[in-house]
Amino acid sequence: MTRLGIFGGGQLAQMLTQAAISLGVETVIFERSPDSPAGRLTQAEIVGPWENPALLDMFARRCDLVTLENEFVDAAILAGLEARGLPVYPRAATLAVVQDKLLQKERIAAAGLRVPAFRRVDSPDDLAAVAGDLGWPLVLKARRNGYDGYGNATLRGPGDVRSAWDRLARGGSPLLAEAFVPFARELAVMVARGRDGAARAYPVVETVQRQHICHLVRAPAPIPAAAADEAVSLALAAVAAVGGVGIFGVELFALEDGMILFNELAPRPHNSGHYTIEACAASQFENHLRAVIGWPLAPTDMRAPAAAMVNLLGRRAGPVGPGALRAALDVPGAHLHLYGKRESRVGRKMGHVTALGATLAEAEALALRAADLVDL
Ligand code: ADP
C-alpha cells in the first residue's frame, strides 16, 4: 500500500484522503493542530509544527512520498525531505517559485504568457514611482502568505498608500504592485500534470467571489469556445513553466474583448475544482493522487452539460449542530459536503454543495436553493 504524506489536515486533505481510500492509498496527515478534518480519517496523524525536526523525521519515516494541501509549507523543509531521498510533489523547487507571488509572476511572464503589468515594490516611495508606470487604480499584494484576498488591497490614488502599506507590510512580507485589471469575468482551470510531464486540463470554469471568497463556480464557464481554448492553453503552459507535478488551480482574468490574462496559480487541489467530484469523469483529488504517485491520469470530461458549486460559508459563530444539513437534504440532486469543522465562524469555509443540470441556470438554481437551507 502506498503511504502518502500530506502537509495539512483541512478540507482539501480530507477530500484527498477520501479519494485515496478508494484507490487503496494510505494517507499520513501532518497538521499543526489536533482534531483536523483529515486527521480524523486516518490513524496515521502527526500533530505539531512542520518545523519541528523530530516530528518531521517521524513523518518522513512513515511515508513513501509527500504532497501538500497548502502552499505555505517552507520550501526548505520540502527540499530537506527530497535530500533524504523522499519524493515530494509538487517539488520543492516549484513551491519556492509559486509561494512568492513576484517570483511566480516573473516565471510565468518569462514563459511568454500574458500577465497584468507588475512591479516589485520595497517601500512606499517605490510605490509612488511605480504608480507613474502602472497608473491608478493599482493592486498592492503581499508576496507571501496571502489567501482569500487577505494579502491584497486596491489603491485608488496616492491617499490610499499609507494605510494599505501598513496593513500588508505588517506581516513582514515584501510587496508587489499590479495594474488593476478591469476584468469581465474570473476564470479558473484545474490542470493535472504527471511526473513525466503529461497533463490534462479540466473544463474552464467561472468563479464568482464575494468579499474575496469564492462564492459560486459555474462549469463550464459561459464564454466563447475560442476564449476557453486560450484559457486552457495558458493554464497548461503555466503549470509546465513552474515544473508542476500534481493538481494545480490556475486563476485567470477574462477581459470584455475576450483576452485572457494569468492571475495566479495554486499548487494543490483548489476550491474551483470541487465540482469535479460529481461532475467529471474523475475528480481533481483522484487526478492529484494519480499524478503524484506516477499513475496514468484519468479523463477530465464532464458527466453533465453543466454544473454549479456553491460554498457553504459560516453565517454565525458557534458549534455546528447535528441538524445543519437537514432542510437542504430535501433538495433532490444537491450534493452536500460538510468538512467536519466543529465550530462555525462568519465567512469560514464549512462545506460546499454541487448540482448538475442540463443548463447552467438549472444547476445554479439548485445549488443556491440547497445552500440557502443550510444552517451553519
Ligand atoms: P489570493 O491569493 O488572496 O486569492 P489574488 O491575487 O488571487 O489573491 O487576488 C484575490 C482577488 O483580488 C482576485 O480573485 C481578484 O478578484 C482580485 N484581483 C487580484 N489581482 C487583481 C488585479 N490585478 N486587478 C483587479 N483585480 C485583482
Side-chain angles (χ1 to χ4, degrees):
M1 207 180 200
T2 304
R3 300 169 309 163
L4 173 68
I6 307 176
F7 280 101
Q11 64 262 24
L12 300 177
Q14 182 192 61
M15 289 183 271
L16 194 54
T17 296
Q18 288 174 304
I21 291 167
S22 299
L23 291 178
V25 173
E26 185 192 3
T27 56
V28 182
I29 301 298
F30 191 178
E31 170 57 66
R32 289 153 293 191
S33 43
D35 195 33
S36 63
R40 269 185 255 133
L41 298 188
T42 174
Q43 293 189 321
E45 183 192 15
I46 295 169
V47 177
W50 297 329
E51 300 75 23
N52 180 311
L55 293 179
L56 200 55
D57 181 58
M58 192 191 306
F59 178 57
R61 280 188 285 108
R62 291 178 80 163
C63 303
D64 300 313
L65 77 160
V66 168
T67 189
L68 43 89
E69 70 148 10
N70 83 50
E71 56 275 38
F72 305 129
V73 188
D74 187 344
I77 290 180
L78 301 180
L81 295 178
E82 286 175 344
R84 60 187 278 176
L86 197 58
V88 178
Y89 297 112
R91 299 182 180 96
T94 298
L95 256 286
V97 169
V98 167
Q99 65 192 190
D100 181 322
K101 288 187 181 194
L102 177 67
L103 299 185
Q104 185 187 130
K105 281 240 157 60
E106 284 174 346
R107 176 70 65 89
I108 299 299
L113 306 176
R114 196 178 285 127
V115 298
F118 65 95
R119 300 278 189 280
R120 172 192 178 128
V121 285
D122 293 325
S123 71
D125 290 342
D126 268 5
L127 190 55
V130 161
D133 283 354
L134 301 181
W136 303 101
L138 56 76
V139 182
L140 192 61
K141 299 186 176 186
R143 285 169 52 183
R144 290 178 170 274
N145 299 332
Y147 69 100
D148 289 344
Y150 285 119
N152 286 3
T154 301
L155 280 54
R156 281 150 308 181
D160 290 341
V161 171
R162 179 46 72 184
S163 65
W165 191 278
D166 289 348
R167 177 167 72 82
L168 297 179
R170 196 176 41 198
S173 170
L175 305 183
L176 151 79
E178 281 180 22
F180 181 85
V181 179
F183 55 81
R185 296 176 193 274
E186 291 194 73
L187 307 176
V189 182
M190 298 305 306
V191 171
R193 189 165 183 273
R195 297 179 181 191
D196 59 359
R200 284 181 189 260
Y202 283 88
V204 183
V205 301
E206 178 179 14
T207 61
V208 180
Q209 340 291 332
R210 264 193 199 164
Q211 275 136 20
H212 301 288
I213 299 178
C214 176
H215 161 58
L216 167 71
V217 170
R218 297 187 176 110
I223 55 173
D229 289 348
E230 194 186 331
V232 166
S233 310
L234 203 163
L236 286 166
V239 175
V242 298
V245 174
I247 193 90
F248 284 69
V250 184
E251 300 175 15
L252 306 165
F253 297 125
L255 304 189
E256 204 58 67
D257 64 4
M259 187 193 276
I260 308 289
L261 271 75
F262 173 91
N263 174 25
E264 64 171 0
L265 59 76
R268 52 168 171 77
H270 193 253
N271 201 164
S272 71
H274 292 353
Y275 80 98
T276 61
I277 296 173
E278 288 88 9
C280 293
S283 75
Q284 62 165 342
F285 302 100
E286 175 170 346
N287 260 329
H288 181 63
L289 293 170
R290 287 170 173 251
V292 300
I293 295 173
W295 290 340
L297 300 177
T300 51
D301 316 77
M302 286 184 69
R303 297 174 191 269
M309 192 261 357
V310 173
N311 268 339
L312 303 177
L313 302 181
R315 294 179 193 148
R316 56 178 161 76
V320 175
L325 293 186
R326 178 65 195 85
L329 290 168
D330 271 337
V331 180
H335 301 282
L336 288 150
H337 296 253
L338 270 197
Y339 304 145
K341 299 178 183 179
R342 301 200 195 277
E343 293 284 322
S344 187
R345 282 197 306 272
V346 176
R348 189 178 194 198
K349 288 180 180 172
M350 303 301 290
H352 71 268
V353 55
T354 298
L356 313 188
T359 63
L360 269 181
E362 184 187 313
E364 192 175 323
L366 202 61
L368 286 170
R369 182 146 62 90
D372 224 35
L373 292 171
V374 167
D375 176 26
L376 286 166

